[in-house]
Amino acid sequence: MIFQLIILFVVILVPNLYKSYVPVKNILYQKNNRKEHSAILLDIRAYNQKRDDINRDALNILYAYLKRVNKEIPHENIHVIATDKLEVNLGLRFLIGKGIKVTSYEISDCVCK
């Protein structure tokens, strides 16, 4: 009985951990070169986390609303702007799963080099 519960726990937990914390491969990280992009900017950050960094040219769709409005996102090259790595991983996996071509991403709060 205990062994079956452990197997059930692993079967449920491992896919969710994978989707959340394992980075998506073959997607470039690009920081602060929005003006050089030919891709459409998709900002999936929460409205209260954008502060002064609001880009008027970007599509502003929260990650939580992607399932509802994914048909409005054009199937062209997309550059995703997110708050943290968790939001990036979940957002990229969802968009790629819907057939949207994501070429790069940016993490706004990252102190990456």
Side-chain angles (χ1 to χ4, degrees):
M1 180 72 174
I2 300 283
F3 183 70
Q4 292 171 342
L5 287 175
I6 292 172
I7 295 296
L8 181 64
F9 181 72
V10 168
V11 167
I12 292 171
L13 187 63
V14 169
N16 290 330
L17 288 174
Y18 176 81
K19 288 179 188 176
S20 301
Y21 295 105
V22 175
V24 180
K25 294 186 179 188
N26 300 325
I27 306 292
L28 298 173
Y29 174 80
Q30 295 181 341
K31 181 75 174 165
N32 292 334
N33 57 351
R34 296 179 192 161
K35 293 180 174 69
E36 299 171 8
H37 273 285
S38 60
I40 296 172
L41 299 174
L42 176 62
D43 195 344
I44 62 173
R45 297 178 289 174
Y47 296 121
N48 60 348
Q49 294 175 340
K50 293 182 184 183
R51 292 175 293 233
D52 300 327
D53 192 23
I54 296 174
N55 190 339
R56 303 286 180 216
D57 298 333
L59 279 170
N60 293 301
I61 302 173
L62 277 70
Y63 169 72
Y65 296 151
L66 280 179
K67 288 183 181 177
R68 285 188 235 166
V69 295
N70 66 22
K71 293 179 177 86
E72 296 177 11
I73 301 171
H75 289 275
E76 299 175 19
N77 294 340
I78 300 288
H79 175 79
V80 176
I81 304 168
T83 305
D84 55 10
K85 290 182 182 182
L86 178 69
E87 193 174 58
V88 164
N89 292 335
L90 292 172
L92 292 179
R93 288 188 200 286
F94 178 79
L95 293 169
I96 291 169
K98 292 297 181 183
I100 297 170
K101 184 177 180 186
V102 180
T103 57
S104 58
Y105 69 92
E106 174 181 336
I107 300 173
S108 61
D109 292 344
C110 184
V111 290
C112 309
K113 295 181 181 179

